């Protein structure tokens, strides 16, 4: 499928310069390194050049040129991906959206706003806030990730239980297909049943069908007085009971969990205090809009019920924005804190009700094979998404560690398949999960995906080798 | 694209009987008439036979047979469609899901339930209610429409502003593609970014890619103490101001509108009283969960603001379930009430902020061309979806009326195109909107849709001639 270079690098660069200008095509070592990979750092970047278009028309011209000269394109957003979806290791032309970060056409009645693909997530969040609204998709890399990349990977994060994934906030999408057609999909409409919703195909396609150049994003009412509980629980069934009980009565904005090991790491490496004295195997973080005194009383009553039922052994509720932020740090700082142990990371999901058995199966597998490995669990119980992290033991060689983890991966994905889960809950497939796609998708589905790609990208020039070969 | 019959009708019927049993293949005149069309009644039904499978495996066998013997299939749900999507007028085999109405595998933690394609919408709503939950997609035909058909047309309805369309409630989808492959798409997962989300393609594809045989449907918390305002407004800008103001502060579950003409028709033909004495050009129906006294006070304060601003001239708030139901009847009974005038109906949308200008443009057009025609407007302002109804003047011949309306259609769709709207907001394209698809979708998009169909239905046997030729 992947396009081979039939034109000389010099010709390609000259033609690219004719489209975007000399200074917007770069091939110095520094930029090839920075823009040739994402956060995975697992592959050696080797793009031919990095091009920085400023308009949708320039992007379209670049794609048409790629068809003509037969070079491959790798889209590049904030490069915060964790699956290698933005890696360019085979002489591709990287199309960066760094110079397409304009926000326009805000409408307060529609509560929509048009973003060029390179708008940073936080930039959109701030824009919404300035206009008394809210962009609810949020995650640790919001300060660097770009809207185009978020859409291409259908980014999830910490508020999915209430607000859904990026998919749910894309009211319109302007794309350039692999064959160079510019499509304006759905154009901001809330209700539109006029033919296939092709917009949905581009969301989560990781740039393999075409390039997202612009999106009309939906905003919503800003949440009021967000308030969080952190509750200590003895076992996973307790977490599920807790989840079930709260969800039946209240509209939660988040339901996260983390283990005592995760908590210990965070408090040992930052100024954030433990939430309370009791030590529990697991903790749940619940967040809701405390709209008024009645909601607060209801939340407290539910908490007390959960204590009486024996599901919760201790707990704390935030009383200020400061306390809310500190409780969130217990969960949000985990990833950065454990990064010094060069962790093996895996992002998997199952249906919510199977999470306890799923987690136990994975833990049993890892512990049996590598009893010395420390496992750090955290994730989004409210949507069945677990982040498995295995820390490299001090003194173990990095390569040896990752080699051992590779055997873990196969076992983990076998469990995922047994539980009908997903090999990639929110990080996408990219290069890293490609060998394991068949644990989540049937051969018939993968064959159909290949044919769908063929429709939009007949020459196979769009992010070749990602998701499937 | 449409498959021609190359096997004799007798052979086809015999082979179908071998799959589903003799009594589940019918070709008597009565069933050919009832199952060969939908609510549009615009085409003369002429299917070859109607087959009633009971299992997904039987459906798959029928599709494989269709590939082998080259006959076309038309899927048939509750046949409540308004675009002719379920019309079989060319000797097709109708596959009815009337005998596939089993609900199973309810899980209270996941809040999901597995429905065979023939489950009636109301059956699912009742099931949810029995389990203390809620299936929120609701519309006038909920007592007849089937889940499979709802998904195939991405049905919308009266609660879209809060709960979205059918698309948002499909956690998993079992389909048989046009080539006879059985796919299990997404399997109930809330987070799953492992490759293209093919489930989204089947939603809203009106049976042109394959047959939906089973769906895992998401349920949610039951709303509490639903309460409605009906407010009289002087002009459409007032409605928009009202909408904007309420939406900024509260989570509305509905925001509907109807005209004085619509109201007059309903109160003249039923026992429902006018909401209040004042006569206003338009009325808005707002619904929200009145969770506690504070929410009620907030709603009343917003209402008073709207009166002070001059947007609202009169209003009433429901104080009981009985009153809530009566207020809703003012809106929900319109369609049935006006059916005696054999109305021309059109289901169109634009972005919310453009609704006032859009409505005025359409009204100006119709009034200029046919000053004697009475226009009845109602619809879902909260999502930009208007239902245009033109009543047949008494004494005018039906054929003459619809001929005149056909010239209205072209003008209306030109306005739709000018406003960047949709020629079908929630009713789908089917046969009726097919000639107008290009007013909403570009030629490039339509060409891509055709190629996508080719991938899933290479022999063109699935609901041929619907959406596009």
């Amino acid at each position: 499928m992947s396009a081979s270079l039939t034109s000389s690098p010099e010709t390609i660069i000259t033609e690219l310069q004719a489209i975007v200008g000399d200074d917007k095509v770069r091939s110095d070592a520094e930029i090839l390194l920075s823009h040739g990979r994402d956060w995975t750092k697992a592959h050696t970047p080797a793009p031919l050049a990095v091009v920085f278009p400023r308009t949708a028309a320039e992007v379209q011209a670049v794609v048409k040129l790629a068809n003509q000269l037969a070079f491959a394109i790798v889209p590049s957003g904030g490069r915060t991906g964790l699956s290698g979806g933005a890696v360019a290791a085979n002489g591709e032309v990287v199309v960066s959206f760094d110079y397409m970060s304009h926000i326009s056409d805000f409408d307060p009645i529609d509560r929509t706003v048009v973003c060029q693909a390179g708008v940073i997530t936080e930039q959109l969040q701030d824009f919404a806030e300035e206009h008394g609204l809210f962009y609810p998709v949020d995650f640790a890399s919001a300060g660097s990730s770009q809207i185009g990349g978020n859409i291409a990977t259908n980014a999830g994060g910490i508020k999915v239980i209430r607000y859904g994934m990026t998919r749910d906030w894309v009211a319109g999408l302007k794309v350039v297909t692999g064959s160079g057609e510019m499509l304006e999909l759905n154009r901001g409409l809330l209700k539109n049943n006029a033919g296939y919703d092709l917009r949905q195909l581009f969301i989560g396609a990781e740039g393999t069908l075409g390039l997202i150049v612009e999106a009309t994003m939906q905003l919503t009412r800003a949440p009021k007085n967000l308030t969080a509980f952190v509750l200590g629980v003895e076992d996973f069934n307790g977490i599920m009971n807790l989840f079930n009980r709260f969800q039946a009565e209240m509209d939660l904005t988040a339901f996260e969990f983390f283990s005592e090991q995760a908590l210990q790491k965070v408090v040992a490496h930052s100024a954030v205090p433990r939430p309370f004295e009791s030590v529990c195997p697991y903790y749940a973080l619940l967040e809701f809009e405390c709209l008024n005194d009645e909601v607060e009383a209801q939340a407290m009553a539910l908490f007390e019920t959960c204590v009486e039922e024996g599901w919760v052994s201790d707990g704390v509720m935030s009383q200020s924005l400061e306390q809310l932020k500190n409780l969130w740090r217990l969960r949000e700082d985990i990833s950065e804190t454990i990064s010094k142990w060069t962790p093996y990371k895996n992002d998997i999901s199952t249906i919510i009700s199977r999470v306890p058995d799923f987690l136990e199966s994975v833990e049993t597998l890892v512990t049996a094979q590598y009893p010395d490995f420390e496992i750090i669990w955290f994730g989004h119980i409210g949507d069945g998404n677990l982040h498995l992290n295995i820390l490299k033991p001090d003194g173990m060689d990095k390569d040896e560690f990752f080699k051992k983890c590779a055997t873990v991966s196969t076992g983990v994905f076998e469990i995922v398949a047994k539980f009908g889960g997903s090999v990639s809950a929110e990080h996408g497939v990219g290069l890293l999960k490609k060998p394991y796609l068949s644990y989540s998708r049937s051969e018939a589905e993968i064959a159909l995906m290949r044919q769908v790609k063929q429709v939009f990208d007949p020459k196979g020039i769009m992010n070749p080798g990602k998701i499937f070969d």
Side-chain angles (χ1 to χ4, degrees), chain A residues 438-451:
Chain A
S438 62
Y439 288 86
S440 273
R441 306 294 295 263
S442 69
E443 286 309 318
E445 285 179 71
I446 297 170
L448 287 165
M449 284 190 230
R450 283 203 179 91
Q451 290 180 67

Side-chain angles (χ1 to χ4, degrees), chain A residues 131-142:
Chain A
H131 291 81
L133 291 169
F134 185 54
Y135 179 66
V137 183
D138 195 20
F139 35 77
S141 60

Side-chain angles (χ1 to χ4, degrees), chain A residues 395-409:
Chain A
M396 184 180 283
D397 177 70
K398 199 173 145 184
D399 288 341
E400 187 195 342
F401 174 65
F402 279 110
K403 210 168 137 187
K404 287 183 170 174
C405 288
T407 67
V408 168
S409 277

Side-chain angles (χ1 to χ4, degrees), chain A residues 260 263-264 267 272-280 283 327 330:
Chain A
E260 168 64 20
L263 176 64
Q264 282 179 14
V267 296
V272 189
R274 286 187 72 92
F276 37 76
E277 285 302 309
S278 319
V279 172
C280 305
Y283 302 86
L327 292 182
L330 296 173

Side-chain angles (χ1 to χ4, degrees), chain A residues 66-189:
Chain A
N67 274 279
Q68 206 182 315
L69 303 186
F71 60 82
I73 284 174
V74 173
S76 170
R79 302 181 306 286
T80 58
L82 292 168
S83 296
V87 167
N90 298 301
E92 303 94 334
V93 170
V94 171
V95 176
S96 166
F97 293 90
D98 288 357
Y99 288 82
M100 290 177 67
S101 57
H102 191 58
I103 294 184
S104 66
D105 298 280
F106 169 67
D107 188 293
I109 293 181
D110 296 310
R111 305 205 287 199
T112 54
V113 64
V114 173
C115 297
Q116 281 189 303
V119 166
I120 306 286
T121 312
E122 204 171 74
Q123 185 188 347
L124 176 58
Q125 289 168 340
D126 292 346
F127 180 92
E129 199 179 329
E130 284 158 24
H131 291 81
L133 291 169
F134 185 54
Y135 179 66
V137 183
D138 195 20
F139 35 77
S141 60
S144 319
S145 72
Q146 297 178 0
I147 292 300
N150 295 353
I151 296 170
T153 57
N154 187 26
I158 55 177
K159 303 277 169 114
V160 171
I161 181 177
R162 167 72 171 271
Y163 296 105
M165 318 261 294
T166 301
R167 182 182 301 281
D168 298 297
W169 301 91
V170 181
L173 210 52
K174 192 187 275 190
V175 301
V176 177
T177 67
S179 52
E181 294 274 8
M182 182 94 73
L183 307 179
E184 295 199 35
L185 301 171
N186 203 59
R187 293 166 284 109
L189 298 168

Side-chain angles (χ1 to χ4, degrees), chain A residues 292-448:
Chain A
N292 50 52
D293 293 346
E294 291 186 48
V295 172
E296 185 173 346
Q298 183 190 23
M300 285 307 295
L302 282 168
F303 166 62
E304 280 157 26
T305 308
C306 292
V307 173
E308 281 161 24
E309 293 279 0
W311 303 332
V312 166
S313 36
D314 206 344
V316 62
M317 187 172 89
S318 65
Q319 303 291 334
S320 67
L321 191 59
E322 183 70 20
Q323 284 178 20
L324 176 75
K325 282 180 180 168
N326 274 333
L327 292 182
W328 265 111
R329 284 194 61 188
L330 296 173
R331 161 66 186 83
E332 290 207 283
D333 286 4
I334 299 169
S335 208
E336 199 183 319
T337 304
I338 63 173
S339 65
K340 61 185 289 239
W341 281 274
T342 328
Y344 161 90
K345 299 172 87 71
N346 209 334
D347 160 52
I348 45 187
S349 71
T350 180
I351 58 173
I352 309 166
S353 58
R354 303 191 78 179
V355 162
D357 292 345
F358 180 65
L359 185 141
E360 198 189 331
S361 296
V362 173
E363 197 154 73
T364 304
L365 170 93
V366 180
T367 313
Q369 286 195 334
Y370 301 105
D372 298 342
F373 283 6
E374 188 177 6
I375 304 175
I376 303 284
W377 284 106
F378 60 92
H380 323 284
I381 294 301
D383 51 44
N385 179 194
L386 300 179
H387 292 293
L388 163 66
N389 294 267
I390 305 174
L391 306 191
K392 188 176 76 59
D394 290 335
M396 184 180 283
D397 177 70
K398 199 173 145 184
D399 288 341
E400 187 195 342
F401 174 65
F402 279 110
K403 210 168 137 187
K404 287 183 170 174
C405 288
T407 67
V408 168
S409 277
T410 307
V412 168
F413 293 129
E414 279 164 3
I415 294 169
V416 167
K418 198 181 111 195
F419 279 81
S422 176
V423 297
S424 186
E426 58 177 0
H427 293 168
V429 177
L431 290 170
L432 252 58
K433 296 285 177 85
K434 183 169 68 169
Y436 308 105
L437 186 58
S438 62
Y439 288 86
S440 273
R441 306 294 295 263
S442 69
E443 286 309 318
E445 285 179 71
I446 297 170
L448 287 165

